[in-house]
Amino acid sequence: MYMEVQTRANTRVHHEIAKEPAEFISTGATDASSVAFLNEVFCTAAREAVSDVHFEDTESECIVRFRRNGELYEVARKPLQASREFDKQFRVKCKKSLMERLTPQDGKFRFSVDGRMVDVRVSILPTGVGQSIVCRLLDQASTLMRLDELQMPSAVRDAIKMIVAQPQGLLLVTGPTGSGKTTTLYGILQHLNTPKVKIITAEDPIEYRISGIVQSQTNEHLTFASALKSMLRQDPDVILVGEIRDSDTARIATQASLTGHIVLSTLHTNSAAISLTRMLDLGVDANALAASIGGFMAQRLVRCLCPHCRVAKPIDSYARAQMLAQGVPESEVNCTDVVYAANRDGCEHCSRGWVGRTPVFELILPTQEVRQAVEEGDLKGLERAARAQDQYQTLSQHAMRMVLSGVTSLHESMSVAGSSFIVE
C-alpha cells in the first residue's frame, strides 16, 4: 500500500516538474546576461555529452568547468555578481530557500535542449568564499545499451548472464562515482526486461526511465531500506537497489536474495574482493552472504586513445615492470613491441588525443571455494579462490591489457586502476 501511495506521489512530482519552464527565466535587466549564460552553458553541455557542470566561487570570480569523459576543464570565468545570480537561479529552479546559505542544499530541475528534456541533479555547498555548485546532467535521450552492447570481455558478459539466469542471488557492482556502474546495471535490467519478469527499482535519483520497469525514487520518507521492504510485497522477480549505504539495506538485500529474488546493487569499494569486508562491516551475517552471493564485480572507466593520432613508443623496462607487477603474464608482455600515448595536440577526430572511455572489470563468481571464504570472512582466501576462475582478472590487469592492445596509455591505466609506481 505504501509503495502504491509513493508511486502516485512520484507521478505527481513528475507532472509538476513537467509544468516547470524548460529554461532559466530572466526577471529583469540585472539578471538577463547571467540567465542567457546559464541557458547557453547547459545546452552546450548536453550537446557535448558533459556529465557535470561545476560553478566554483573564488575570492574574486566564479570558475565554470565541464567534466567530459571523466576529465575536468575550464570553460568560463564570471564575476562574483554573476555567481550570485547563478545561485539564485538554481535555488529558484530547485525550489530551495534563497535565505538559507549556511547549510548544503540538494535539488533537481529539468531543461529543454534540441526538443528533448534533460534532468539535472544539483548540489550546493557553502564554502569560505561563497558557493560550490555542481550539476549532474542525466540526459534521457542518451542511448541505454543492453548487456550485449556493453564493452566488456565476453567471459565477463557470459558470467553475468549466468548469474542473472539463476532463480536468486545478490550481484554487487562496486566502484567510485562516475565509473559506469549505472550503465552496467541498466544493461543487465534491459537484458532481463520481458513481460514475464517483474522488475522493481529503488534509485536516488532515477537516472534513466525504462519502459516495462517499475522505478521508485528515494526521498526523506522512502529510504532504500524501507523501499526494499515494500518491494518484497510487490511480487518482484528482480530488484535493483541503487546503493547499499547502511546496515538495514545490506541485511534486507541479502535476505531478499535468499528468498527467490535476483538483487542488484552497488557499493563503494576499491575492488570486488573488498565487497566482502564492506558487507561484513555493515553487519551482514557471513553465512547468509555466502549463501546469497551471486557475484562481486568492480569496474572503472579508462579514457581511450584516438586511433588516428595516438603516439607509438617502444615498450621500455618501466612499462614492462609495471605490467609484470600487476600480474600480467610475461608471455603477454613479450608479444608487444610498442605502447601508445596521447597526442596532446589532438586532431579533428578527438579532444587532445582522447575519444571516449571504456570500462575495465573485475568479477568474482560464487564457486564453492569463494562461498567458503565468504563464510569464514577470509579476504585472502577469497582472493586466492578468485584467481582460480577463468574470467577473473584484477582491474589493474584488465587496464594493463588495454595498454598492450593500444586502447589506452600506460599513465591512464596506472592513474585509474592503480599501480605499484615502480622506479626504473
Side-chain angles (χ1 to χ4, degrees):
M1 183 67 177
Y2 180 82
M3 181 66 75
E4 294 174 358
V5 171
Q6 186 61 44
T7 300
R8 289 197 295 270
N10 287 341
T11 301
R12 184 166 58 252
V13 170
H14 290 152
H15 288 164
E16 290 174 357
I17 293 174
K19 295 177 183 177
E20 294 294 319
E23 60 182 7
F24 293 94
I25 303 298
S26 173
T27 57
T30 57
D31 65 4
S33 62
S34 297
V35 166
F37 175 78
L38 288 177
N39 287 326
E40 179 183 357
V41 159
F42 278 95
C43 286
T44 300
R47 289 167 183 151
E48 295 183 0
V50 168
S51 63
D52 301 87
V53 182
H54 293 239
F55 298 82
E56 301 162 348
D57 286 347
T58 69
E59 292 182 351
S60 59
E61 59 190 346
C62 175
I63 301 173
V64 183
R65 298 195 288 176
F66 284 172
R67 185 180 295 278
R68 184 171 181 267
N69 291 331
E71 186 177 16
L72 270 174
Y73 59 94
E74 185 177 317
V75 294
R77 289 180 177 243
K78 292 292 182 178
L80 289 179
Q81 178 58 42
S83 176
R84 287 189 282 271
E85 292 295 342
F86 297 158
D87 178 76
K88 175 184 175 182
Q89 288 293 325
F90 288 129
R91 290 174 184 270
V92 169
K93 269 285 191 183
C94 298
K95 295 182 172 60
K96 298 297 179 180
S97 170
L98 297 177
M99 304 302 296
E100 181 53 72
R101 304 279 177 169
L102 300 179
T103 58
Q105 300 285 331
D106 293 320
K108 59 185 177 181
F109 68 90
R110 307 183 81 191
F111 73 94
S112 175
V113 56
D114 300 334
R116 70 181 191 274
M117 298 303 295
V118 176
D119 293 319
V120 181
R121 184 173 60 191
V122 180
S123 171
I124 303 175
L125 177 68
T127 68
V129 292
Q131 308 280 345
S132 172
I133 302 174
V134 178
C135 301
R136 168 66 56 89
L137 274 63
L138 306 172
D139 193 343
Q140 299 298 320
S142 297
T143 302
L144 286 175
M145 293 178 285
R146 300 180 67 86
L147 181 60
D148 286 333
E149 298 171 328
L150 295 175
Q151 293 177 300
M152 62 174 56
S154 58
V156 173
R157 180 181 290 105
D158 292 343
I160 292 174
K161 288 182 178 179
M162 181 187 70
I163 292 170
V164 298
Q166 303 302 309
Q168 62 188 42
L170 173 64
L171 174 59
L172 296 174
V173 182
T174 77
T177 300
S179 60
K181 301 186 300 295
T182 298
T183 299
T184 297
L185 288 173
Y186 276 26
I188 295 172
L189 289 184
Q190 293 195 98
H191 171 73
L192 296 170
N193 189 15
T194 71
K196 295 182 179 181
V197 177
K198 176 67 174 286
I199 302 174
I200 306 181
T201 75
E203 304 173 61
D204 180 25
I206 298 173
E207 296 199 15
Y208 301 98
R209 296 177 179 85
I210 305 176
S211 176
I213 294 178
V214 178
Q215 296 174 270
S216 62
Q217 182 162 310
T218 60
N219 53 49
E220 62 270 24
H221 304 296
L222 184 67
T223 64
F224 282 126
S226 62
L228 255 175
K229 292 178 183 177
S230 296
M231 285 177 178
L232 294 175
R233 296 192 289 271
Q234 292 279 311
D235 189 30
D237 299 298
V238 179
I239 294 171
L240 168 67
V241 183
E243 183 182 346
I244 292 179
R245 299 175 178 170
D246 54 58
S247 298
D248 285 345
T249 307
R251 287 195 294 266
I252 298 169
T254 302
Q255 289 300 319
S257 62
L258 286 171
T259 55
H261 306 91
I262 292 292
V263 180
L264 311 173
S265 192
T266 69
L267 281 174
H268 285 289
T269 65
N270 291 329
S271 70
I274 295 298
S275 299
L276 167 61
T277 304
R278 177 60 177 152
M279 291 294 280
L280 295 180
D281 287 345
L282 288 171
V284 175
D285 180 75
N287 292 324
L289 183 60
S292 67
I293 190 63
F296 294 136
M297 187 166 77
Q299 69 178 81
R300 300 287 190 277
L301 293 176
V302 296
R303 290 181 294 171
C304 298
L305 293 167
C306 174
H308 300 281
C309 68
R310 62 186 181 178
V311 179
K313 297 182 176 181
I315 187 168
D316 58 20
S317 58
Y318 178 77
R320 286 175 54 82
Q322 286 290 342
M323 293 175 187
L324 294 174
Q326 300 307 320
V328 179
E330 188 172 3
S331 58
E332 290 185 40
V333 179
N334 290 339
C335 288
T336 303
D337 295 325
V338 299
V339 292
Y340 294 88
N343 175 9
R344 295 184 179 180
D345 294 330
C347 68
E348 61 181 355
H349 303 285
C350 66
S351 173
R352 290 176 285 183
W354 302 100
V355 284
R357 293 187 291 175
T358 192
V360 293
F361 296 96
E362 177 181 310
L363 175 62
I364 301 175
L365 294 177
T367 59
Q368 181 178 348
E369 294 77 13
V370 164
R371 291 188 190 278
Q372 181 176 345
V374 171
E375 187 172 334
E376 295 172 355
D378 183 1
L379 180 60
K380 294 296 184 182
L382 176 61
E383 292 172 340
R384 285 194 299 271
R387 287 195 292 269
Q389 299 180 6
D390 292 339
Q391 88 295 328
Y392 180 78
Q393 57 184 334
T394 66
L395 291 169
S396 294
Q397 288 169 349
H398 192 182
M400 286 298 181
R401 288 182 169 116
M402 290 288 190
V403 176
L404 290 172
S405 63
V407 172
T408 193
S409 71
L410 180 66
H411 181 270
E412 176 71 3
S413 169
M414 292 164 57
S415 64
V416 171
S419 166
S420 299
F421 291 101
I422 298 169
V423 178
E424 292 182 271

